[in-house]
Amino acid sequence: MLVIAAAAVAFGNGSTFVVSGERGPGKGKHVVLLAGDEEYRSEEMLPQLAKILARRHGFKCTVVFSQNERGEIDPEARRHQPGLEALRSADVCVMMLRFRQWEDAQMKHFVDYYLSGKPIVAVRTSTHAFDYPPDCTSKYRKFGWQSREWPGGFGKQVLGETWVSHWGVHGSQATRGRIVSAHPVVRDVRDVFGTTDVYEAAPPSDAEVLVRGEVVAGLLPTDPAAVGRKKTSGGSEQGLNDPMMPIVWVRQPKNEAGRTNRVLTCTMGSATDFANPGLRRLLVNSVYWAVELRVPSNAQVDLVGRYVPSPFGFGGYRKGVRPSNLE
């Protein structure tokens, strides 16, 4: 078990939150985390993940936020994500985005990163990270989740799935993770549970499913599995948990530049889900795997400092917070 004693905190150009570990296996590796969703409080979850990766494992981490014209963290500001140039030096991108429509100058940083063949760890709504309307003239419009040019957009083509549906009942049926693989990402991961619901997902045949999501009949870890049947988006009927939907998978698709990206997709995830040690360990392990470092035994994932996550839901973000206000 590795414990790092301290980490240095800085504030980039004022628009990002940067924390650097002093020592550990991740020393010399740069993790860039993109926070930008209106519902699941990525602006709270990803800074805490950054602190854990830096303080416990030695990584340098830069968190990039959606921001309004006042320089405040604002997940409803879908078009503005200052600081994306940090991706130029990134070794891995951790993204938790929803329906972003960045201007081309900002989107170029992300697309250049993707085409370079570097790894991506994608959380929850990142399956529908981008949303470009049909009449949009952006040269990156094919990345949108409703793209016809690139069916399903970035989510479907790269991560392995786009937005389909809430498979569990949103807000009243939680998710229990059932590990179905011996992949390094799930090393020593146990008791994965979160109050966000299971998404419907059908990743492609080249994906290796690591965790499946059991739909839970309530919002407590002690609640039983939900029962019942439901039709998939394709029209076939099945049990809610027979089979269980994939919620974590890996794949290594080749991109248009001929380079291969290591990709992990996890459809669980909210600031409240991140209070679960099993999910924290899975995401920390994912970063190790993504940068091709050996996943440690029982990776240290204790929370760093005070972490009181806000409930998920629209309009619930903390107003008036700037990156420089973070611990």
Side-chain angles (χ1 to χ4, degrees), residues 11 14-17 41 43-44 47 65-75 310 316-327:
F11 294 99
S15 64
T16 60
F17 174 70
R41 308 279 73 84
E43 71 278 4
E44 297 179 19
F65 304 91
S66 295
Q67 294 180 43
N68 59 33
E69 67 280 0
R70 297 181 297 278
E72 298 165 346
I73 298 170
D74 184 348
S310 302
Y317 73 97
R318 295 167 181 167
K319 311 299 190 294
V321 178
R322 299 172 184 270
S324 58
N325 297 141
L326 301 178
E327 294 178 5

Side-chain angles (χ1 to χ4, degrees), residues 22-68:
E22 295 181 352
R23 60 187 182 275
K27 184 70 175 178
K29 299 289 187 181
H30 184 197
V31 184
V32 174
L33 305 96
L34 309 182
D37 86 285
E38 309 94 319
E39 187 171 9
Y40 295 103
R41 308 279 73 84
S42 57
E43 71 278 4
E44 297 179 19
M45 174 180 157
L46 293 188
Q48 178 60 221
L49 176 58
K51 293 175 188 179
I52 292 169
L53 288 168
R55 186 180 180 106
R56 313 295 186 204
H57 303 277
F59 292 93
K60 175 185 176 181
C61 297
T62 301
V63 189
V64 183
F65 304 91
S66 295
Q67 294 180 43
N68 59 33

Side-chain angles (χ1 to χ4, degrees), residues 127 139 149 171 230 257 259 317:
T127 57
K139 62 182 177 179
E149 175 187 354
K230 188 173 180 178
R259 298 182 176 93
Y317 73 97

Side-chain angles (χ1 to χ4, degrees), residues 38-271:
E38 309 94 319
E39 187 171 9
Y40 295 103
R41 308 279 73 84
S42 57
E43 71 278 4
E44 297 179 19
M45 174 180 157
L46 293 188
Q48 178 60 221
L49 176 58
K51 293 175 188 179
I52 292 169
L53 288 168
R55 186 180 180 106
R56 313 295 186 204
H57 303 277
F59 292 93
K60 175 185 176 181
C61 297
T62 301
V63 189
V64 183
F65 304 91
S66 295
Q67 294 180 43
N68 59 33
E69 67 280 0
R70 297 181 297 278
E72 298 165 346
I73 298 170
D74 184 348
E76 296 178 0
R78 296 184 181 186
R79 295 181 58 85
H80 191 46
Q81 193 94 7
L84 285 166
E85 59 271 16
L87 288 169
R88 294 173 185 165
S89 63
D91 294 291
V92 57
C93 172
V94 178
M95 57 187 295
M96 190 170 169
L97 302 172
R98 180 183 184 275
F99 293 153
R100 302 298 94 175
Q101 190 187 140
W102 299 330
E103 295 182 359
D104 283 3
Q106 292 187 345
M107 186 67 176
K108 184 178 187 299
H109 294 300
F110 180 83
V111 175
D112 286 350
Y113 175 88
Y114 156 62
L115 292 176
S116 75
K118 290 182 179 180
I120 296 167
V121 174
V123 181
R124 191 62 172 175
T125 54
S126 293
T127 57
H128 41 295
F130 304 108
D131 184 22
Y132 291 95
D135 60 349
C136 180
T137 59
S138 169
K139 62 182 177 179
Y140 301 117
R141 61 185 178 273
K142 75 172 190 176
F143 282 74
W145 72 286
Q146 298 184 88
S147 173
R148 294 182 180 178
E149 175 187 354
W150 211 28
F154 174 81
K156 188 68 174 179
Q157 297 293 327
V158 180
L159 304 185
E161 189 54 284
T162 185
W163 167 244
V164 182
S165 74
H166 290 283
W167 186 249
V169 178
H170 184 54
S172 63
Q173 289 183 326
T175 299
R176 183 178 292 117
R178 297 296 191 185
I179 296 168
V180 295
S181 170
H183 194 279
V185 163
V186 291
R187 184 178 188 186
D188 299 316
V189 173
R190 58 186 69 87
D191 300 326
V192 176
F193 180 86
T195 54
T196 54
D197 58 286
V198 174
Y199 278 175
E200 182 180 349
S205 59
D206 66 0
E208 179 182 353
V209 176
L210 310 186
V211 186
R212 289 185 177 271
E214 183 177 63
V215 180
V216 179
L219 297 176
L220 299 175
T222 53
D223 286 332
V227 296
R229 300 182 66 79
K230 188 173 180 178
K231 284 187 177 181
T232 68
S233 59
S236 60
E237 186 177 291
Q238 66 169 73
L240 275 176
N241 289 310
D242 184 23
M244 297 178 192
M245 289 289 170
I247 61 169
V248 182
W249 62 85
V250 293
R251 63 190 301 249
Q252 298 190 47
K254 183 174 287 188
N255 64 40
E256 304 95 298
R259 298 182 176 93
T260 299
N261 300 87
R262 290 167 73 90
V263 175
L264 178 136
T265 304
C266 174
T267 62
M268 281 187 74
S270 67

